[in-house]
Amino acid sequence: MSDAAGGRRGRPFTLVVCGSCDAAATGRLMDGLRRAVRGCPHGVMVSTGCLGSVLHCRSGRGVHAAVQPCGADRRPGGVVVRLGPLVTEADAEVVGAWLRAGMPDDGSLPDRLRAEPAPRQVAHLN
C-alpha cells in the first residue's frame, strides 16, 4: 500500500526487539508491541538477542528495539529508528500508536523513547 493510496497508516516496517534486555518487563511489553504490529497490515516483528551492537543499551533498564520502514517485499526503504528503553506498558502503547500511524516524523514519538546508537557507531572527533 503506498502512502498516497492509504496514507502512511499502511506503511510496511520491520521491528526488531531485544528479547534479552529486561526479563521482568519483556513479557508485558512484548505483548503490547505484538498487538500493535498485528494492527499494521505490513508490519513484522522479530525478537532477537541483545542489540548492543546497534543500540546503546544496558541490561535491566527496559526493552530496546529498532524499526526500519521497508517495502511490502521487505526490502529496506528508510532510516532505522532506535527505540528504548521501553519501561512501561504505556511506552509500548505510544510506540504502537506511532507504528500504526506510519512512523511519522512529527514528534509523536517522544525523544525519551528514542535510543542512542551504540558508541562504536558514533563518529568521534580527533
Side-chain angles (χ1 to χ4, degrees):
M1 181 179 292
S2 72
D3 286 352
R8 295 177 64 97
R9 184 170 176 82
R11 187 176 190 189
F13 63 86
T14 301
L15 174 67
V16 180
V17 182
C18 178
S20 62
C21 278
D22 187 354
T26 299
R28 67 181 190 275
L29 292 174
M30 293 286 265
D31 287 344
L33 293 173
R34 282 186 193 102
R35 283 190 300 274
V37 172
R38 282 187 204 117
C40 299
H42 296 288
V44 172
M45 182 171 137
V46 177
S47 177
T48 186
C50 183
L51 293 170
S53 64
V54 180
L55 301 170
H56 188 240
C57 59
R58 295 184 191 105
S59 183
R61 294 192 60 204
V63 174
H64 287 77
V67 63
Q68 184 171 34
C70 62
D73 61 357
R74 312 289 353 134
R75 288 186 190 186
V79 178
V80 171
V81 176
R82 295 165 174 94
L83 304 170
L86 308 179
V87 180
T88 66
E89 291 177 60
D91 291 344
E93 289 175 20
V94 169
V95 169
W98 176 74
L99 291 170
R100 287 188 298 274
M103 298 170 284
D105 192 20
D106 62 358
S108 57
L109 180 66
D111 286 341
R112 68 178 176 78
L113 295 180
R114 291 181 182 260
E116 295 178 20
R120 70 177 187 219
Q121 291 194 348
V122 177
H124 297 282
L125 299 175
N126 292 342

